[in-house]
Amino acid sequence: MKVLVPVKRVVDYNVKVRVKSDGTGVDTANVKMSMNPFDEIALEEAMRLKEAGKVTEVVAISCGVTQCQETLRTAMAIGADRGILVETTTELEPLAVAKLVKALADKEQPQLIILGKQAIDDDSNQTGQMLAALLGWPQATFASKVVLEDGKVTVTREVDGGLETLALTLPAIITTDLRLNEPRYVTLPNIMKAKKKPLETVKPEDLGVDVAPRLKTLKVVEPAKRSAGIKVADVATLVAKLRTEAKVI
């Protein structure tokens, strides 16, 4: 069984994001980039399925600029067998990514696609759902447990009221949540081995996909700074301030 795992290159979660002075976007110059944490969880789950003998090949794919090769090399150091980069300088929206992954899925014919539920840069939480619609495959989002056996995958997912368990027939789409697993550390020997693993590069036009943006970012601004809190003497003063100053009651 083959599993596809899309991985995204994002600003490292430890980095304090800064907005460009002209408000056109986020400043990424000389900023540490890394794999999207939710995609790390997806890749870890694919590796565990492979180590359990349920999966024979794990293929990591990424869409974006040339530097995404670094993210794919990290994925291969974690254990992916090979990588595919869809190289483009166009700013990709979730629908464009879903179309690119669909084109690769049509080519690779995987039985399972596991991806993070969202990226920490745009927080869209759309790609997995759009991909399932384009492929016509069953989907399970926000997975906290995955069991693969007898040609079916059973997924426990987190919902507002607790947990929901779904049984999907393969091929299927799964998006991962934080509590699914804890990704492994990458070791130096595996980093060296990853350099020898195959990494294929294609262009969107090779896949027949139009990735032209359909949305336009007008302006990016930082959140307003929170003002300092104050102490009040009693409840009556608090209510008065909420009514006259905050105007929330």
Side-chain angles (χ1 to χ4, degrees):
M1 178 186 293
K2 183 188 294 185
V3 177
L4 283 188
V5 184
V7 294
K8 186 176 184 181
R9 179 177 182 261
V10 299
V11 175
D12 190 87
Y13 67 92
N14 288 310
V15 173
K16 178 176 172 53
V17 175
R18 299 184 185 277
V19 175
K20 293 179 180 177
S21 57
D22 59 1
T24 56
V26 172
D27 187 5
T28 57
N30 301 315
V31 171
K32 182 183 178 184
M33 308 293 281
S34 61
M35 187 188 301
N36 179 44
F38 289 101
D39 295 339
E40 281 191 78
I41 293 169
L43 183 60
E44 173 66 25
E45 192 64 24
M47 293 314 305
R48 293 186 183 190
L49 291 172
K50 183 180 178 183
E51 289 164 356
K54 306 289 179 66
V55 169
T56 54
E57 185 181 25
V58 176
V59 183
I61 59 179
S62 191
C63 307
V65 295
T66 306
Q67 290 86 340
C68 290
Q69 289 185 15
E70 301 168 10
T71 307
L72 287 172
R73 290 294 177 192
T74 301
M76 290 188 281
I78 292 172
D81 297 288
R82 55 190 175 92
I84 303 174
L85 171 62
V86 183
E87 188 176 356
T88 177
T89 56
T90 303
E91 187 173 347
L92 297 173
E93 295 169 359
L95 180 58
V97 175
K99 288 181 177 179
L100 291 171
V101 176
K102 177 194 181 293
L104 290 174
D106 290 339
K107 177 183 174 184
E108 294 287 336
Q109 294 296 306
Q111 288 295 97
L112 193 61
I113 300 178
I114 309 177
L115 62 162
K117 70 171 185 177
Q118 66 194 70
I120 62 171
D121 52 1
D122 58 15
D123 276 332
S124 292
N125 181 21
Q126 295 175 342
T127 304
Q129 293 89 327
M130 289 176 170
L131 178 60
L134 290 171
L135 286 168
W137 292 5
Q139 62 174 311
T141 55
F142 316 139
S144 60
K145 184 179 179 182
V146 176
V147 178
L148 180 62
E149 57 186 8
D150 300 329
K152 290 188 177 182
V153 58
T154 304
V155 178
T156 303
R157 61 187 299 267
E158 299 184 358
V159 295
D160 291 340
L163 298 176
E164 179 182 46
T165 302
L166 302 176
L168 311 178
T169 55
L170 298 178
I173 308 281
I174 297 173
T175 72
T176 59
D177 213 337
L178 284 173
R179 278 165 285 280
L180 179 58
N181 60 51
E182 185 174 339
R184 67 194 69 187
Y185 288 104
V186 181
T187 62
L188 182 59
N190 286 339
I191 292 174
M192 301 306 292
K193 289 176 185 176
K195 293 181 179 179
K196 298 180 180 178
K197 291 183 178 180
L199 175 56
E200 180 186 356
T201 301
V202 297
K203 302 284 186 182
E205 46 269 29
D206 299 335
L207 301 172
V209 177
D210 176 19
V211 294
R214 288 167 169 75
L215 303 175
K216 181 181 179 181
T217 301
L218 300 179
K219 191 175 183 182
V220 178
V221 296
E222 291 189 12
K225 286 185 167 35
R226 294 181 62 183
S227 57
I230 60 171
K231 292 183 179 180
V232 294
D234 51 40
V235 174
T237 308
L238 172 62
V239 173
K241 285 187 176 292
L242 290 175
R243 180 176 291 120
T244 60
E245 294 182 16
K247 292 181 170 46
V248 294
I249 60 174

